[in-house]
Amino acid sequence: MTARNISYDALRVVAVLMVITIHTCGTYVLERTPYTSNYLMGILYEAVVQIGVPLFVMLSGAFVLGRNEVSWRAFYRKRLPKLLIPLSVWLPIYYLLLWLKGDDVGQMLSAFWRGGSWMHLWYLVMLTGLYLLVPLFNALIDHIGHRPHGLYTVSLGLLLIGLLTDTYHYLIAPDFRLFFPLMWIPYTGYFLMGYTLSRYPGNHGYGWPIMLYCLATAGTAFWSYYTVRTSWGEYCYRNLSPLIVVSAVSLFSIFVRQASAWQSSKLLRHIAAPTQEVMGIYLLHLAVLILVTKAVMMLTPSVMDMAWLSIPLRVSVTFALSYWAARLMRCCRLQIFIGG
């Protein structure tokens, strides 16, 4: 992990594209009008991209865990401002944007302490908590030593606990929300699994990971299709539902296996090109998507009735505009506001 790895960079770009697509196809999925072509297209896209946030968490674990070359004070001084400064800047901006859009910001703020008012910025809150626990994770890694089976056992155990806890809250206590400084708790399994897979990726080829990823993704789409009218309809898209866990871990494994052999891949290099701006794209994309959607509705409203065209069009334009906006901010030496 000391050298720049193209496969990890490419996966970061893929993950941010997935997050943009989640917020784009939600227009059709959340309408819950089953058996229409737009709904079917929406759930197909969502089944593929819902693993975006879990991929980000595993990538963070792969990059920050197991590093003992600096003091923890230096680690916190380097990492935490890149999360907390953008959070403090962009949260008020998004509240203002939503207020101008006509949303009830007061109602959103009423759920602030329970983590219900952070929009996509909740990821920064959750990741801050995980970063604060890096010393404990590294102590665990040192204690287990060079025993991959031990790391895999602990990682899978934490994932299982997160999955069961999330399922309990969804089905038994749906009104329960974690106090926002504790958002990291369910994601510890993904965090440690990212390090474990990056350190011990295995060398048995891509067969099993590809098969599991395809089966889990197809299963998520079918699950959503057949349960749209029940309480299980939204559960299948939660970040810790069983098929999402399998799909995320499998795709991450595909990218990290034999990663050194992919260093010369021109395709991955093209995909990984916008790596430096990924955090900026993540922070900016929701505002850009709102503006892009408004423009499409005003200029070509018929496109919004064609999900097969609307989703890739809005995702592409949103990604491109967010990328160039992030680059412009970096050129103007404003990178501190986009995690730089």
Side-chain angles (χ1 to χ4, degrees):
M1 295 298 294
T2 55
R4 198 73 190 181
N5 194 305
I6 296 299
S7 62
Y8 289 87
D9 288 345
L11 190 56
R12 290 184 69 205
V13 177
V14 169
V16 80
L17 276 167
M18 287 180 168
V19 171
I20 296 173
T21 308
I22 291 169
H23 293 141
T24 305
C25 63
T27 306
Y28 306 101
V29 175
L30 295 178
E31 287 179 355
R32 299 176 71 84
T33 51
Y35 318 126
T36 64
S37 59
N38 282 344
Y39 176 79
L40 293 176
M41 188 60 60
I43 63 173
L44 285 175
Y45 274 106
E46 189 120 7
V48 173
V49 303
Q50 191 58 42
I51 61 176
V53 168
L55 288 177
F56 271 130
V57 178
M58 286 191 285
L59 282 165
S60 296
F63 277 105
V64 304
L65 292 179
R67 294 171 177 264
N68 298 308
E69 69 272 16
V70 295
S71 68
W72 300 123
R73 183 176 299 178
F75 172 83
Y76 291 142
R77 214 168 29 232
K78 177 183 177 182
R79 299 282 180 176
L80 294 185
K82 293 183 179 182
L83 299 176
L84 298 179
I85 292 176
L87 180 64
S88 64
V89 169
W90 288 101
L91 192 60
I93 291 175
Y94 274 105
Y95 283 148
L96 177 61
L97 177 63
L98 293 176
W99 178 72
L100 293 173
K101 185 171 171 280
D103 292 347
D104 189 348
V105 175
Q107 186 176 4
M108 290 181 60
L109 289 174
S110 66
F112 184 87
W113 297 104
R114 297 192 302 161
S117 304
W118 299 91
M119 294 159 286
H120 66 304
L121 301 179
W122 72 270
Y123 174 75
L124 302 184
V125 181
M126 179 268 294
L127 195 59
T128 299
L130 289 175
Y131 277 6
L132 289 174
L133 289 179
V134 165
L136 293 179
F137 277 111
N138 280 347
L140 174 65
I141 291 169
D142 289 340
H143 177 72
I144 294 176
H146 299 287
R147 289 178 289 175
H149 292 297
L151 280 172
Y152 273 108
T153 299
V154 175
S155 301
L156 289 171
L158 289 174
L159 273 175
L160 182 60
I161 292 171
L163 186 156
L164 293 175
T165 303
D166 187 70
T167 303
Y168 172 81
H169 289 158
Y170 183 80
L171 295 178
I172 309 299
D175 294 329
F176 175 82
R177 296 291 186 276
L178 279 171
F179 182 44
F180 75 87
L182 303 178
M183 288 182 182
W184 54 269
I185 293 177
Y187 292 88
T188 54
Y190 279 130
F191 198 55
L192 186 59
M193 182 60 78
Y195 168 79
T196 304
L197 283 171
S198 66
R199 184 69 177 81
Y200 304 105
N203 54 2
H204 301 296
Y206 307 105
W208 277 103
I210 290 175
M211 185 178 70
L212 287 174
Y213 171 73
C214 292
L215 289 175
T217 301
T220 301
F222 280 108
W223 188 354
S224 176
Y225 178 79
Y226 286 108
T227 61
V228 60
R229 297 187 184 277
T230 72
S231 60
W232 292 96
E234 294 180 9
Y235 171 76
C236 59
Y237 289 122
R238 293 174 71 86
N239 288 330
L240 282 153
S241 68
L243 292 180
I244 295 298
V245 171
V246 173
S247 183
V249 172
S250 298
L251 187 63
F252 190 88
S253 180
I254 292 169
F255 272 79
V256 301
R257 287 184 178 222
Q258 301 178 2
S260 59
W262 291 15
Q263 290 295 93
S264 59
S265 170
K266 292 183 179 180
L267 175 62
L268 284 188
R269 287 185 180 277
H270 284 301
I271 295 174
T275 300
Q276 190 176 24
E277 310 302 345
V278 164
M279 180 58 81
I281 294 169
Y282 183 90
L283 292 168
L284 292 163
H285 83 272
L286 195 56
V288 175
L289 177 60
I290 291 172
L291 297 176
V292 168
T293 301
K294 285 288 185 182
V296 171
M297 292 176 67
M298 291 175 59
L299 299 175
T300 55
S302 60
V303 170
M304 292 299 294
D305 295 327
M306 298 181 286
W308 64 270
L309 176 60
S310 168
I311 293 173
L313 174 65
R314 288 186 290 147
V315 168
S316 301
V317 175
T318 298
F319 178 83
L321 292 178
S322 300
Y323 169 71
W324 286 109
R327 285 204 66 178
L328 179 62
M329 292 185 70
R330 190 176 297 279
C331 291
C332 295
R333 298 186 179 181
L334 298 174
Q335 63 266 29
I336 191 174
F337 301 123
I338 53 172

